[in-house]
Amino acid sequence: MNRWPRLRAALAYALLLAFTLLFVAPVLFMLVGSLKPDDLVLAEAGTMRAFFPDTISLGNYRAVFERVPFGLYLASSLIINGLIVGLGLLVNAFAGYALARLRWWGREAMLALVLAVLVIPFEAIAIPLFYQLSWIGWRDDWLVQAIPFVANPLAIFLFYSFFLGLPRELEEAARVDGASVLRTFFAIVVPNAKPAFASVAIVLFLFHWGMYLWPLLMTTSEAVRPLPLGIANFHTLPPLQWGDIMAFGVLMVLPVLILFVVFQRWFVRGVASTGVKG
Amino acid sequence: MAEVEFEQVRKAFGGHTVIPALDLQVRDGELLVLLGPSGCGKSTLLRLLAGLEVASGGEIRIGGRAVDGLGPRERNIAMVFQNYALYPHKTVRGNLEFPLRMRGMRRGERDRRVAEAARALGLDAVLDKRPAELSGGQRQRVAMGRAIVREPDVFLMDEPLSNLDARLRVQIRAEIGALQRRIGVTTLYVTHDQVEAMTLGDRVAVMRDGVIQQIGPPAALYEHPANLFVAGFLGSPAMNLFEPAFEQREGARWMQLGGNWSRLPEGVPKQSRFAGLRPEAFGAGNAEGAHAITLRGEVHAVELLGHERIVYLRTEGRMVEPVPGGIGTSDGLLAARLTDGPAPSLGETLTLRANAGNIHWFDAEGTAVEAE
């Protein structure tokens, strides 16, 4: 009697495990590859050795720092993303709040516009934007890689729907208590919208950490180039060493992973609450 | 402290007029209750005074000063919200302190005021807790505290008791009344609960569709309702309102009520169309004599309330009730509050008597007409 449900559960878990392995495999391949001698990465790619190495070395990691200015790329990436996230939280929260709470002419049209802009892929406007900025002579620094991405329609929408769900009376009470609109926003709204700020921070960071096309268009000096251009740099540096590229990849993923683990609690809550109220 | 004046105040949302043109004076130190069904504009009136809404016309004055162009922070008012609107991320102390901080008050004075308010409201023990850790009654008190620390010119209270259970509501209602009398700040109190209005208000303004139907001390409104709406709105159970048939014979005026013809005394106004009788106007034994009217009905339900019982009768004849925009037919049940006699049984036919002098008369428009 009892055997059939158990068998079914076992089958279900086997299936789940198979799919998990399928999706985790590339990440595992990268991690293992980064720890293997360079010549073995491709040689063992088709075998189980790709996932279970017999020798482990940190040589590839040393090579990453010796062959390319990894620290420089990392610094650029952190600065660019720090600007995007920091300014993005402020600008998008203001925009979301104005849409959700303030009364102004054209508010509804603006909301519709924000939603419409959501569907425009960046690649579609990258070239016109490139010409526009080149024309005013602005290129090849950190700011030009960050400023175009500060205002983000998805972030505005996340803030907008979260603010809509906050009880309006809190803000009215603050106004009656003597707070200005700006003061009300910072003293009352922001502390009660931490989940929204956390989700937007993560969304903005994730979107732009791997950005490649725009930095490629806008930068020429190594000093301001972010990590994704750094990893591409390997292809121009013979000999092509896959182990080094894997190690670079691991180092590039690490900050994102740390950020996600630290903010995971808020992120999940933020998504849950914006989901319910939006 | 200040008096509050509304002069020809109008408010429309889009094309929808909520308050057509309202005049109202609230005296210095008075507790005025705005009473009315939901959607009658009473909360809107409060929000206009708070500066949370902008009037579409007219003038509002606090202490003689026109406040129409001023934001909420410049009006020196304090407001207690229906859901309290306590700041969830701040402690009780932080909540009480917030309005004082916003006015740039010094630390020492702030602490003194907060301690004073906390003592007055019994909040000393919870000063360092957050709103989520408090009971409903405590939250309500914090909301009150946040209003009184400011020492404002006017208190605004928007249904402050509606989130409390019945027992706590009675207790806090009494506390609010005592507090208001002690500090004597002009207070506007919005409610749809007539018991709150009757027990708390120095005066009560009954509102409907953005128009004040009647304003006066609670007893005056109860005893002399200005129109059918006020008559039907105040009192529980509500006043029984009839549209009786009239007849002139034997040199007197007769009225048919609940199946019986009764002779009316002199002085009943000619233009009378509707008659109203409070449930307590009936008795099994009282009102004998020339001015007695009697009516019969079948007992439909009996509510035992201990010292009294409320008997609902189904009677002949037309009963009415005021509805938004006019007068409608009610379900035809007459309510009588009886304190003596044996408890009637369901289905029994009961004869009730009342003194014709206790009848409230209203004309065809529903306006009260006094006996001549």
Side-chain angles (χ1 to χ4, degrees), chain B residues 173-235:
Chain B
R173 191 173 75 206
E175 286 177 18
I176 290 179
L179 186 72
Q180 198 273 338
R181 275 191 300 279
R182 197 172 73 236
I183 57 185
V185 172
T186 311
T187 303
L188 264 85
Y189 186 108
V190 161
T191 183
H192 65 271
D193 182 324
Q194 48 159 318
V195 180
E196 271 173 43
M198 301 293 279
T199 50
L200 271 178
D202 294 322
R203 286 192 302 156
V204 175
V206 178
M207 281 185 78
R208 176 204 198 181
D209 299 335
V211 177
I212 292 181
Q213 304 290 308
Q214 190 176 4
I215 181 165
L221 266 59
Y222 190 81
E223 284 156 22
H224 304 287
N227 58 37
L228 278 178
F229 180 79
V230 177
F233 196 77
L234 283 182

Side-chain angles (χ1 to χ4, degrees), chain A residues 47-68:
Chain A
T47 70
M48 286 308 279
R49 283 262 171 256
F51 302 104
F52 304 101
D54 45 5
T55 50
I56 280 179
S57 88
L58 292 175
N60 295 330
Y61 287 90
R62 201 175 312 121
V64 165
F65 286 94
E66 282 165 3
R67 293 181 66 201
V68 294

Side-chain angles (χ1 to χ4, degrees), chain B residues 252-266:
Chain B
R253 207 157 168 224
W254 291 68
M255 167 181 79
Q256 190 186 33
L257 207 61
N260 284 1
W261 282 96
S262 302
R263 186 189 162 128
L264 292 174
E266 297 287 312

Side-chain angles (χ1 to χ4, degrees), chain A residues 32-276:
Chain A
V32 173
S34 75
L35 297 168
K36 286 204 293 199
D38 212 63
D39 48 339
L40 292 183
V41 176
L42 280 192
E44 293 178 351
T47 70
M48 286 308 279
R49 283 262 171 256
F51 302 104
F52 304 101
D54 45 5
T55 50
I56 280 179
S57 88
L58 292 175
N60 295 330
Y61 287 90
R62 201 175 312 121
V64 165
F65 286 94
E66 282 165 3
R67 293 181 66 201
V68 294
F70 180 84
L72 214 56
Y73 294 138
L74 181 66
S76 288
S77 266
L78 287 175
I79 289 168
I80 294 164
N81 279 275
L83 282 168
I84 292 175
V85 172
L87 294 175
L89 285 178
L90 194 71
V91 167
N92 296 310
F94 275 156
Y97 188 72
L99 287 170
R101 281 292 197 262
L102 307 184
R103 293 173 206 167
W104 41 284
W105 188 87
R107 191 185 64 89
E108 273 157 36
M110 191 56 76
L111 182 62
L113 198 64
V114 167
L115 293 178
V117 168
L118 262 175
V119 303
I120 300 179
F122 176 73
E123 285 72 12
I125 58 162
I127 301 300
L129 193 61
F130 167 75
Y131 278 116
Q132 191 183 345
L133 293 181
S134 299
W135 187 66
I136 63 169
W138 187 19
R139 52 199 315 266
D140 206 27
D141 63 12
W142 288 315
L143 270 181
V144 80
Q145 297 178 75
I147 297 299
F149 306 101
V150 165
N152 181 302
L154 180 63
I156 293 174
F157 187 71
L158 282 175
F159 276 124
Y160 165 77
S161 52
F162 191 90
F163 291 150
L164 273 191
L166 282 183
R168 191 185 282 268
E169 289 84 356
L170 283 185
E171 294 147 60
E172 291 179 342
R175 307 252 341 260
V176 171
D177 279 347
S180 62
V181 174
L182 214 58
R183 189 73 187 252
T184 302
F185 180 78
F186 283 111
I188 304 299
V189 175
V190 172
N192 286 299
K194 281 184 200 158
F197 280 87
S199 352
V200 168
I202 288 187
V203 163
L204 288 178
F205 190 87
L206 288 184
F207 274 15
H208 300 110
W209 187 250
M211 197 163 49
Y212 180 77
L213 177 64
W214 186 245
L216 186 67
L217 285 173
M218 297 310 287
T219 62
T220 44
S221 23
E222 284 309 302
V224 296
R225 292 195 145 177
L227 288 166
L229 289 188
I231 201 171
N233 212 359
F234 274 104
H235 296 279
T236 66
L237 288 176
L240 195 54
Q241 297 198 316
W242 286 105
D244 296 357
I245 296 179
M246 297 295 151
F248 195 109
V250 170
L251 289 172
M252 198 172 142
V253 167
L254 225 50
V256 186
L257 218 58
I258 291 169
L259 187 83
F260 195 80
V261 169
V262 169
F263 286 104
Q264 193 205 24
R265 194 168 52 99
W266 281 357
F267 184 53
V268 171
R269 203 197 308 163
V271 169
S273 50
T274 47
V276 170

Side-chain angles (χ1 to χ4, degrees), chain B residues 162-182:
Chain B
S162 57
N163 285 348
L164 299 175
D165 63 53
R167 187 181 293 263
L168 209 49
R169 195 176 305 166
V170 173
Q171 184 194 337
I172 302 219
R173 191 173 75 206
E175 286 177 18
I176 290 179
L179 186 72
Q180 198 273 338
R181 275 191 300 279
R182 197 172 73 236

